[in-house]
Each structure stands twice: as structure tokens, then as C-alpha cells.
Amino acid sequence: MLLGIAAILAVAHVSLPLWAELFATGFPEVDYLRVPFLVILGACAVAGELVLLIVWALAPALGSTSRLTPGQHVALALAVVLLLAVAMAFIGVNTYLSSIEANPPLVFLGLLVGSLVCVSVAVAFAYAQWHRR
């Protein structure tokens, strides 16, 4: 499952410039946002890949009933912070695009679902961390 999510993130990271070009054509009045949003969404993809690496490393510990080591707590806290940062970036991009009335439904729903998934996984990780003290 983690490899599938990693593949999806890699495809998203590579296809972001193509999507940006497509939406810049459809909304030429906001073409100036292409580079800043590519940087933001590219950073979100990298953060998602880092979270996957953390989960990959912590999978044996999360599957057991033993306590987490201090290093594992730090790694899990980093994953929570990264997920919340990605969720905030998605919400910020969505809010800005909606405020200038240049937010197609597919983009709006994609960013909304992405932010909800990030917050849900962050809450699950925070619970796992709290529960394993």
C-alpha cells in the first residue's frame, strides 16, 4: 500500500507542471500563480514522500504493542507536523483560488479531499503516539 501511495505521489509530482499548464490555459488571468503554486504543491509532494518514508521506517513499531522509543516519537511527531503543514497549504491554495473565483470544481474537491486526508492521518498518528507513551 505504501508503495502504491509513493507511486501516486511521484506521478503527481511529475504531472504538476502539466496540470499547471492546462489550468493556466483555462484561466489566463491567473497565469502569474503558476510558479508559486507549483512550488507549494511540489513541496507538499516532497513532504508526503517524507511522511511515507517515516511510516515505512516505523511500520514494525506501529504494528507491535510495545512502547515507542524517543527517536520513534520524534519521527512520528515530524510526520504529524508535515501532514498538518500540507493540509494547511492545501487549504490556503483552495481559499486563495476561491477568493479570486478561479477554482474549478476538480481542483477545489481535490485540495479539499487532500486536506481532509492529511488531517485524518495526522490525528491517527498523534493518537498512536499518545497511546504508546
Side-chain angles (χ1 to χ4, degrees):
M1 185 165 131
L2 291 176
L3 290 175
I5 295 171
I8 290 170
L9 278 172
V11 167
H13 195 80
V14 171
S15 67
L16 280 173
L18 300 173
W19 281 94
E21 182 67 32
L22 176 72
F23 287 116
T25 304
F27 295 93
E29 65 275 8
V30 293
D31 185 42
Y32 66 95
L33 294 173
R34 184 182 342 176
V35 173
F37 283 176
L38 276 175
V39 170
I40 291 169
L41 296 177
C44 289
V46 170
E49 291 163 1
L50 287 173
V51 169
L52 284 176
L53 286 174
I54 291 169
V55 171
W56 184 281
L58 292 179
L62 293 174
S64 72
T65 58
S66 63
R67 296 180 134 203
L68 297 177
T69 65
Q72 290 170 331
H73 277 290
V74 170
L76 207 50
L78 176 63
V80 169
V81 168
L82 286 171
L83 286 166
L84 292 177
V86 169
M88 292 305 298
F90 285 171
I91 290 169
V93 168
N94 228 358
T95 302
Y96 185 77
L97 287 175
S98 294
S99 72
I100 61 172
E101 296 178 4
N103 201 1
L106 181 64
V107 173
F108 175 79
L109 292 175
L111 290 171
L112 180 65
V113 167
S115 63
L116 292 174
V117 167
C118 287
V119 169
S120 299
V121 173
V123 167
F125 284 170
Y127 175 77
Q129 185 177 18
W130 173 77
H131 187 65
R132 297 289 182 89
R133 290 202 177 259

